[in-house]
Amino acid sequence: MKDPKTLTLDPPPPQPPPAFSLFPTLNTPQKTLTFHKISTLLITFVAYAAFHASRKPPSIVKSVLGPDPNSPQTGWPPFNSARGPHRLGELDLAFLSAYAIGMYFSGHVGDRIDLRVFLTIGMIGSGVFTVLFGLGFWLDVHSLSYFIMIQICCGGFQSIGWPCVVAVMGNWFGKSKRGLIMGVWNSHTSVGNIIGSIIASSVLGFGWGWAFLLPGILIVIISIIVFLFLVVNPETIGLKLPSEEEEAETEISTEGMALVNLQKVDSEEDDDDDDESTSNGVVSSSPAIGFLEAWKLPGVAPFAFCLFFSKLVAYTFLYWLPFYIRNTAVAGEQLSHKTAGILSTIFDIGGVLGGILAGFISDQIEARAVTSIMFLTLSIPSLIFYRLYGSISMFNNISLMFLSGLLVNGPYALITTAVAADLGTQTSINGNSRALATVSAIIDGTGSIGAALGPLLAGVVRSEIKGKVNEGKWLWFSAIAC
């Protein structure tokens, strides 16, 4: 029996969301476990789609803020000079560096406080600073420091989102078919990018500030839904995930069955010692795992560095693809700002299918690493073909952009979801759910360092090689070289 004093060191268990008091029919037994699983999936899906929608405007407005090769006097100071693309890259670096650093801290904090409240704070903060960036248009702000500080603060709040939603999903869904479920669920990143691109491109004609204002308001509205309705884990509302669930969903191997039995024995021993029980008989979470301990878990470091390079390429396209399309003639025709922004969504549409396909394949062959390597290897020729043949015709551009999005975002989606959830609940930590946010933060945080370097490199390369090589080569060079 533990000393009662030691129990006070653990944080109190999460409370049911306010909506469960306002709407009693949401409580059990009126609503089943399946209902709450689906609602959790939908709420976290919409929440992180809102994060990405508010993250997309900088890429859409680059072609408006930066210098136009055909009209050097256009643009928005201080981004309309010859070093404009470099300064735009610095904005991306500011956001993504704060995002990457904040991710490590957010995961550590997320395993120790109520994820619902923490996620709500991240969404509201992201919305506020996205709106503040857009206000620079109406306030006629031309200070580079202002925009950089806004991006740093916004990146810090955005870093809260991912560890929270992955941890919540890991609490509700077992390992069986996790790759497919997480692959479908992870399409929220591409869906959010598409929504953000469409919203920002549609209002760009009224002034670039609107491209930030509307997505910023959207994420604040979604944060209210999260705060009222999101259930962090089944135990919060008196539900429990049965161990038989995995057996019903998939055939368990002999080795897997032995593992399940071993876990049951461990659970029974814990029950006898009353080590894992609270005063009301509800199973409490294990102590949160330390940051350095999480790095030492098998598979965490290799997948973290794999994601580093995957996100480097993915975010180079996320932040620079509309600008690249706008400044590269397709079938001899220069596209408008609005058309370039909307056309760039094809990359994200391919990413939706890529995430689902990677998750499905990894479930079938039971090898997440092999699936990731396969997609990343095939992405190299697809990017080269897009550079060489994408400008020949609109059909080539769309089809090769779709294929590139599928192959680049497939492993990105797989590693940040199913792999992170697998590693965060592996047997070496006895399925400790309070390692989920920390492990997912380490993996995505390391990947985000690559995401920070990619867009910066694209801006630097474009500024340095302009005039020395063909204008259309800079984005391809940045992505392929890394």
Side-chain angles (χ1 to χ4, degrees), residues 225-241:
I225 299 175
V226 169
F227 180 78
L228 292 176
F229 292 95
L230 181 63
V231 181
V232 172
N233 56 56
E235 288 79 8
T236 302
I237 54 175
L239 294 173
K240 184 179 180 181
L241 293 179

Side-chain angles (χ1 to χ4, degrees), residues 358-423:
F360 176 77
I361 293 174
S362 70
D363 279 342
Q364 296 301 308
I365 66 177
E366 298 182 353
R368 314 275 195 218
V370 173
T371 305
S372 299
I373 292 172
M374 178 178 66
F375 273 72
L376 289 172
T377 302
L378 292 175
S379 70
I380 298 174
S382 74
L383 292 171
I384 294 176
F385 290 152
Y386 178 64
R387 160 65 194 103
L388 295 176
Y389 306 113
S391 59
I392 294 178
S393 67
M394 185 62 71
F395 174 80
N396 280 12
N397 193 287
I398 291 175
S399 58
L400 291 173
M401 192 191 309
F402 178 87
L403 180 62
S404 297
L406 184 152
L407 294 172
V408 169
N409 287 330
Y412 167 23
L414 181 65
I415 295 171
T416 54
T417 53
V419 170
D422 287 348
L423 296 177

Side-chain angles (χ1 to χ4, degrees), residues 24-184:
T25 54
L26 291 175
N27 292 280
T28 54
Q30 287 92 337
K31 293 296 185 290
T32 64
L33 177 65
T34 301
F35 170 85
H36 287 294
K37 275 189 169 185
I38 294 174
S39 63
T40 300
L41 187 147
L42 292 176
I43 292 173
T44 52
F45 183 98
V46 173
Y48 208 69
F51 271 109
H52 264 259
S54 66
R55 199 180 298 177
K56 188 64 178 178
S59 68
I60 300 298
V61 302
K62 271 188 173 69
S63 57
V64 175
L65 298 179
D68 189 331
N70 302 319
S71 304
Q73 301 304 317
T74 60
W76 184 270
F79 307 109
N80 61 342
S81 64
R83 288 184 57 81
H86 192 179
R87 289 176 175 173
L88 290 170
E90 290 174 351
L91 284 185
D92 298 336
L93 178 65
F95 174 88
L96 291 167
S97 296
Y99 179 84
I101 295 172
M103 185 74 70
Y104 293 121
F105 291 99
S106 297
H108 189 71
V109 175
D111 279 329
R112 289 160 173 79
I113 67 173
D114 191 333
L115 289 170
R116 175 177 58 86
V117 176
F118 196 38
L119 180 59
T120 303
I121 293 172
M123 297 182 73
I124 294 176
S126 298
V128 169
F129 283 101
T130 300
V131 170
L132 286 176
F133 194 108
L135 288 179
F137 171 75
W138 290 285
L139 298 177
D140 200 31
V141 177
H142 298 285
S143 170
L144 179 62
S145 300
Y146 172 84
F147 294 111
I148 288 180
M149 287 304 301
I150 291 296
Q151 288 295 78
I152 290 174
C153 295
C154 189
F157 280 103
Q158 285 263 342
S159 70
I160 296 175
W162 188 246
C164 291
V165 295
V166 171
V168 171
M169 285 292 291
N171 289 338
W172 279 95
F173 293 90
K175 291 186 178 181
S176 179
K177 297 183 180 178
R178 179 179 276 171
L180 178 58
I181 293 173
M182 289 294 204
V184 174

